Amino acid sequence: MTPSRTGVTGNGRAATLSDVAREAGVSLATASRAINGSTNRSVRADLRERVLDAAERLHYSPNANAQAMARGRTATLGLIVHDIADPFFSTIAAGVTEAADTAGLAVTLANTQYDAEREVGFIQTLQNLRARSIIVVGGRQDDDDANRRLREALAAYQERGGAAAMVGQPILGIKAVHVDDRGASAALARALHGLGYRRFAVLGGPERHLTAAERRGGFCEALAELGASVAEEAIIPSPFVRDGGHDAMVELMGRELDVEVVFAVNDVMALGAMTAAREAGLVLPRDMAFAGFDDIFALRDVTPTLTTVRIDMVEIGRKATSLALGDGDTPDVVTVTGEVVLRESTPGPG
């Protein structure tokens, strides 16, 4: 790429802030703060010098609108979630709002209802509102086109001086907090196998949902390694909600398989599945054991208490906010591990 004296690259395109960031070897957010300024974040002197040198080499001319956004952005952080009624998202939101309050920011919440187009639209809306940062929460779908559109929308937002982070698979070109769902679900499978269970079923969530795929994949792969493979007909896809777990459990019971323990890939699905089992006359956990994933607060009032994987969702919200508001020294990806919690719903067979 060889810029001209007027700031046009060798392919005829004007040098952008992304070009400057790449040339300087820093994040887009750091390049923006070094050139456009920031109301609440400073850039180390050596990083600022690298950015300014790169801008001079590329003959970069800052976009006036981007500068206005960087210097005049509102004290607002945009939070985009799939379903605020789901305790997983509401608990993460609690962590985000706590950290945002500490930073003197207000949180604007957008609820997508798992609609990829709404997700992209909300990013544009938050950009128009001059939100200082955006956090996107939720696992991605196995949908290259939808992920590309979201990636482009976030890149455009950052190009105009915003900063962004996400909770989920780090595939959108922004900083991310990623839960090791595969490793945690494998640990759960090994723990249940250690209790003596050998006949498993999985309520697997949406087939194209990457978080659901990681959880059921880790669980089933670990069991296969232990010689207790889950039969294909014992893996039931379903929506990632309470009613999805309920309906999947009804379908599982209709198949009349020999199952000792059911793993639902999130807790709200597990709660729905337990209700379906009781409606069918099963006594829990004597007739059927259950396990979930997330350790949502609602489990405090569930009988029998549910075996699950504990994820500190409030802390995830704090970490995501730190990434969204951090400087170029913050890591690109923070990986969070889960803790297996064995409770009354899996007392062991016999």
Side-chain angles (χ1 to χ4, degrees):
M1 179 175 66
T2 305
S4 72
R5 298 303 299 175
T6 58
V8 177
T9 64
N11 59 13
R13 176 175 61 81
T16 67
L17 187 59
S18 293
D19 297 325
V20 173
R22 190 178 304 109
E23 177 79 8
V26 300
S27 70
L28 187 60
T30 297
S32 174
R33 294 187 188 104
I35 292 176
N36 297 321
S38 173
T39 58
N40 72 332
R41 296 285 171 177
S42 61
V43 177
R44 288 198 334 247
D46 61 319
L47 292 179
R48 183 184 301 277
E49 184 176 352
R50 277 166 50 188
V51 171
L52 295 179
D53 286 347
E56 183 177 359
R57 289 195 300 274
L58 297 178
H59 307 288
Y60 169 72
S61 177
N63 180 280
N65 290 333
Q67 286 189 317
M69 183 176 182
R71 290 175 178 156
R73 283 176 288 168
T74 60
T76 300
L77 185 151
L79 175 62
I80 301 174
V81 302
H82 289 329
D83 181 8
I84 195 60
D86 185 325
F88 175 82
F89 294 105
S90 59
T91 308
I92 289 176
V96 170
T97 55
E98 176 187 308
D101 184 63
T102 300
L105 302 177
V107 175
T108 297
L109 176 68
N111 196 33
T112 72
Q113 295 298 324
Y114 293 93
D115 186 327
E117 290 305 314
R118 284 170 59 86
E119 204 166 32
V120 171
F122 282 136
I123 290 171
Q124 181 62 57
T125 298
L126 290 166
Q127 179 173 299
N128 293 341
L129 293 173
R130 295 185 300 154
R132 180 163 298 168
S133 301
I134 292 175
I135 299 174
V136 180
V137 180
R140 299 295 96 203
Q141 296 285 338
D142 183 15
D143 184 334
D144 290 341
D145 188 53
N147 291 331
R148 175 188 55 78
R149 291 195 301 272
L150 185 58
R151 191 180 300 113
E152 290 174 352
L154 288 165
Y157 168 74
Q158 291 183 108
E159 185 75 24
R160 287 162 177 79
M166 66 177 294
V167 177
Q169 291 77 21
I171 62 174
L172 297 179
I174 59 177
K175 294 184 177 183
V177 180
H178 178 231
V179 178
D180 181 15
D181 290 301
R182 186 175 295 275
S185 59
L188 175 62
R190 289 190 289 268
L192 294 175
H193 188 275
L195 291 175
Y197 292 108
R198 297 295 182 269
R199 300 188 299 279
F200 297 84
V202 177
L203 309 185
E207 292 184 295
R208 300 188 69 187
H209 193 286
L210 296 182
T211 297
E214 289 177 353
R215 292 181 181 183
R216 65 176 178 263
F219 190 83
C220 292
E221 289 162 10
L223 289 175
E225 292 172 0
L226 293 168
S229 296
V230 182
E232 184 176 348
E233 61 269 24
I235 303 174
I236 314 293
S238 64
F240 218 16
V241 296
R242 181 266 181 199
D243 288 349
H246 181 281
D247 295 345
M249 187 64 195
V250 170
E251 182 175 345
L252 175 66
M253 290 185 293
R255 297 184 182 187
E256 298 183 345
L257 303 175
D258 184 14
V259 172
E260 295 174 307
V261 58
V262 174
F263 168 53
V265 295
N266 70 15
D267 288 340
V268 294
M269 289 176 57
L271 298 183
M274 292 169 74
T275 298
R278 288 193 183 95
E279 290 172 348
L282 300 184
V283 177
L284 311 184
R286 184 193 70 188
D287 299 331
M288 187 71 70
F290 285 87
F293 196 113
D294 289 331
D295 199 27
I296 60 176
F297 288 147
L299 297 189
R300 299 173 183 179
D301 301 318
V302 173
T303 303
T305 54
L306 183 65
T307 288
T308 190
V309 174
R310 176 179 294 150
I311 303 295
D312 190 341
M313 291 170 281
V314 172
E315 182 61 21
I316 286 174
R318 296 190 192 107
K319 289 180 182 294
T321 307
S322 178
L323 290 183
L325 300 179
D327 60 24
D329 294 330
T330 57
D332 289 336
V333 178
V334 174
T335 299
V336 176
T337 59
E339 175 191 358
V340 175
V341 181
L342 298 175
R343 296 192 177 114
E344 296 170 353
S345 66
T346 56

